[in-house]
Amino acid sequence: RYVTGGTTSIADGQEEDLMPSLNKVMLMGNLTRDPELRYLQSGTAVCDFGMAVNRRWRSNTGEQREEVCFVDVTFFGRTAEVISEFMKKGRPIYVEGRLKLDSWTDKNGQKRNKLRVVGETMQFLDARGPAAEGGSGPSGVPEEKTPSGDEFDIEDDSIPF
């Protein structure tokens, strides 16, 4: 089986169509709560936090409008520990990651779903990060594999603006 241009060729000559896919999220916003750090049995750090992402625009009548999207974010590994140590509610952050759908059955037997972002890279957006507090800054965080094999790459110039 091999892939060429969106089509998978199977050894017996049959072909099946594959749609290319991309699961990439880029968010810039403020933390809505202090990060929560915990550790898996394997010792891997996990940090959960909420973000508020604002969208501003003008309506057809010229009125200034705004909407807020609230997003739950999870980071793993050393990056999770850095976020927990230096970030607090209200602080701005840039996050790149992927969407993940969590599904479960609640205590009433109802099937529940929740979409969240699994963070892959991040950038502090204000001067109160590790560098301002005498630390080595985000670029000093070593890269490491997450439980799913994703790599974190935290660099000061990872944001294109």
Side-chain angles (χ1 to χ4, degrees), residues 64-115:
Q64 183 77 21
R65 304 288 310 248
E66 181 177 8
E67 69 181 11
V68 181
C69 181
F70 296 97
V71 181
D72 288 326
V73 181
T74 301
F75 272 90
F76 293 90
R78 178 69 182 131
T79 308
E81 294 173 327
V82 169
I83 291 169
S84 174
E85 182 177 352
F86 294 105
M87 295 300 289
K88 300 290 180 218
K89 178 180 177 177
R91 301 273 304 272
I93 190 169
Y94 171 79
V95 169
E96 287 187 20
R98 59 185 167 82
L99 292 174
K100 182 171 187 325
L101 181 65
D102 294 328
S103 300
W104 71 96
T105 303
D106 68 14
K107 60 185 175 186
N108 299 325
Q110 297 287 347
K111 185 154 175 84
R112 304 287 308 250
N113 296 301
K114 182 171 183 135
L115 200 58

Side-chain angles (χ1 to χ4, degrees), residues 2-3 10 16 31 54 57 91 99 108 118 140 146 151:
Y2 58 94
V3 177
I10 303 174
E16 61 183 80
L31 271 67
N54 298 320
W57 76 99
R91 301 273 304 272
L99 292 174
N108 299 325
V118 176
T146 65
E151 287 193 32

Side-chain angles (χ1 to χ4, degrees), residues 3-33:
V3 177
T4 58
T7 302
T8 299
S9 297
I10 303 174
D12 63 8
Q14 297 176 349
E15 289 187 0
E16 61 183 80
D17 289 328
L18 291 178
M19 295 298 296
S21 63
L22 174 67
N23 184 354
K24 182 78 169 183
V25 176
M26 295 182 287
L27 300 171
M28 193 178 325
N30 296 319
L31 271 67
T32 59
R33 63 182 186 270

Side-chain angles (χ1 to χ4, degrees), residues 132-144:
E133 297 175 11
S136 62
S139 60
V141 178
E143 293 183 15
E144 64 180 52

